Amino acid sequence: MKPVPANQANIELAAELLRHGKLVAIPTETVYGLGADAKNIEAVKNVFAAKGRPNDHPLIVHIADVADLPNWAIDISPAAYKLTETYWPGPLTLVLKKRPDVPYEVTGGQETIALRVPNHPVALAVLKAFGGGIAAPSANRFCRISPTQASHVEEELGDKVDMILDGGACAVGLESTIVDLSGDKPRLLRPGQINKTEIEGLLQAELDIPINIDRVLAPGMHEIHYAPVTTTILCTQAELEIILQGNAFQHQQKMGVLWFGNAVESELFEQNIAMPETINEYAHLLYSKLRELDHAGLDLILVEQPPQTEEWRGINDRLTKAAKPFNTDFNGTLFEAKDVRWILRGFWPFSLFSD
Ligand code: TXA
Ligand code: MG
């Protein structure tokens, strides 16, 4: 399925397809979504099947306007409306208690529902033409890099969607921030462009961050997500320099690097992508650049760790899920700094590593 231009006729056709339970990939300002009628259980099941996503992973329901919120959620607090007034339409998803008539298929069996009004003219036009809620996870296969261009959707799910609306490159490029307001305390479930500090300022309340299983403490348990197929390693600038000292890789691995570009120069890197230092520009490019490196026939992708500040939390979150940290082996075992030399030497063959 080739992407089609998002003109009026195709937007109306998209709405018609949704009414018939079909799957339509739509652009949003964050990433492309794989859309289905949120009230059509068969269509929703097809979304899970197309992505290869487990059924208990809930979907986000996209609505045209904040006025539709009570059609999906109950117990909507003043805090929720504070957030919607400021950020909708925009890259913020709210988790609220669901209305009893919302199918459990959409919410992964949960009593809560994730909702957002996207800030993209094509997504909004489709929502208005359709007249209902559109359940739409990112339009990638499960665990892979989210699509930020129509061609990425074609690559990921081309044979599984009924239409791909081309709305150009997604402006934000990172999935929405998710705030859970269904419990006693607001929680940040997924960091994004709208950051924790901003939300806390607006709500005058602290956002809890649920503790994830740390992959260092619990090897192999950490979620891999947003990941290139090529092995990807997250490194600090100092670690990149260690690698560039020359004898780190003896086996002529083809390496590509995504970095801030001014650290070190080297011919060791077959692909060399310099990223902008401003957060929004970085986010806008990240997934398409990772995809580009993933298609370059490399053995290894190295990504320079961005600053570890609150603003970069969303980016760092995605990168730690896409990449392995520098000083672990591929089963996630943490090594002492002195062992790093061996890990570098021992990427392949394994025997070198054990001697
Ligand atoms: O930017 C975005 O949010 C994009 C665009 C298409 O809108 N969508 C997106 O959807 O990223 P997806 O399915 O890839 O991610 C949805 C996230 C998942 O992490 C899921 O666990 C969480 O939302 N989620 C959905 N419903 C939830 C609920 N009831 N409680 C907690 N988390 C929920
Ligand atoms: Mg996703």
Side-chain angles (χ1 to χ4, degrees):
M1 180 68 53
K2 293 257 170 245
V4 298
N7 54 31
Q8 196 52 39
N10 283 334
I11 284 168
E12 275 159 28
L13 184 57
E16 197 54 30
L17 288 169
L18 289 168
R19 268 179 227 118
H20 284 91
K22 306 285 185 191
L23 305 187
V24 177
I26 47 174
T28 81
E29 80 281 32
T30 58
V31 300
Y32 275 74
L34 175 63
D37 177 353
K39 290 269 170 87
N40 181 330
I41 291 171
E42 283 313 306
V44 168
K45 283 185 179 163
N46 287 338
V47 169
F48 286 97
K51 278 186 66 106
R53 174 169 170 146
N55 292 344
D56 59 352
H57 283 217
L59 305 179
I60 295 173
V61 175
H62 298 69
I63 53 179
D65 195 280
V66 63
D68 298 335
L69 208 45
N71 297 333
W72 299 91
I74 52 170
D75 296 350
I76 308 167
S77 63
Y81 282 117
K82 237 186 205 173
L83 290 174
T84 61
E85 268 165 38
T86 309
Y87 297 117
W88 280 6
L92 178 75
T93 296
L94 294 184
V95 172
L96 299 165
K97 290 197 184 111
K98 82 173 189 73
R99 262 176 64 138
D101 56 341
V102 174
Y104 283 113
E105 280 76 8
V106 178
T107 69
Q110 304 196 48
E111 293 299 337
T112 54
I113 178 169
L115 291 151
R116 87 177 184 102
V117 178
N119 187 18
H120 193 293
V122 175
L124 289 170
V126 174
L127 280 163
K128 285 189 185 118
F130 174 57
I134 300 179
S138 51
N140 51 280
R141 280 168 293 152
F142 185 55
C143 289
R144 295 295 175 211
I145 307 174
S146 295
T148 54
Q149 293 174 23
S151 61
H152 301 166
V153 180
E154 185 186 353
E155 239 174 78
E156 290 283 324
L157 299 168
D159 54 339
K160 299 195 169 70
V161 284
D162 299 293
M163 184 186 231
I164 303 171
L165 277 177
D166 190 345
C170 303
V172 175
L174 203 67
E175 301 83 353
S176 59
T177 304
I178 305 180
V179 176
D180 178 3
L181 293 174
S182 68
D184 296 338
K185 287 201 71 188
R187 301 192 304 159
L188 179 69
L189 299 187
R190 183 171 68 185
Q193 188 194 52
I194 299 171
N195 67 50
K196 182 168 175 278
T197 319
E198 278 177 70
I199 298 168
E200 289 180 334
L202 191 74
L203 295 182
Q204 290 294 299
E206 232 177 88
L207 277 186
D208 277 355
I209 298 187
I211 298 159
N212 285 323
I213 300 165
D214 187 300
R215 90 169 108 184
V216 173
L217 296 178
M221 295 295 283
H222 199 280
E223 195 187 358
I224 296 287
H225 221 115
Y226 317 105
V229 177
T230 314
T231 301
T232 303
I233 310 271
L234 195 56
C235 335
T236 62
Q237 200 186 92
E239 288 162 347
L240 276 173
E241 276 162 19
I242 297 174
I243 292 166
L244 286 167
Q245 276 163 12
N247 61 353
F249 293 95
Q250 302 180 332
H251 300 285
Q252 312 238 324
Q253 302 203 50
K254 284 202 240 163
M255 290 188 285
V257 68
L258 189 84
W259 57 358
F260 293 100
N262 51 8
V264 266
E265 291 293 331
S266 175
E267 286 147 18
L268 260 184
F269 298 137
E270 204 153 294
Q271 296 279 322
N272 184 332
I273 297 180
M275 293 294 279
E277 290 187 26
T278 49
I279 168 87
N280 289 349
E281 288 174 50
Y282 187 106
H284 173 67
L285 292 175
L286 177 62
Y287 289 153
S288 61
K289 294 302 178 189
L290 275 180
R291 212 171 261 279
E292 200 176 308
L293 288 172
D294 206 18
H295 290 331
L298 301 166
D299 300 308
L300 195 62
I301 299 172
L302 301 167
V303 179
E304 183 178 351
Q305 174 89 61
Q308 307 258 38
T309 61
E310 201 51 58
E311 295 79 56
W312 288 83
R313 184 191 286 274
I315 299 278
N316 283 318
D317 168 73
R318 306 308 191 275
L319 287 177
T320 51
K321 287 176 178 153
K324 300 166 181 20
F326 176 72
N327 57 346
T328 67
D329 75 4
F330 292 148
N331 295 319
T333 313
L334 181 67
F335 284 81
E336 303 289 334
K338 66 180 167 49
D339 294 324
V340 164
R341 188 168 49 98
W342 289 109
I343 298 180
L344 287 171
R345 290 236 177 104
F347 270 134
W348 318 121
F350 198 72
S351 59
L352 253 186
F353 172 55
S354 51
D355 69 13

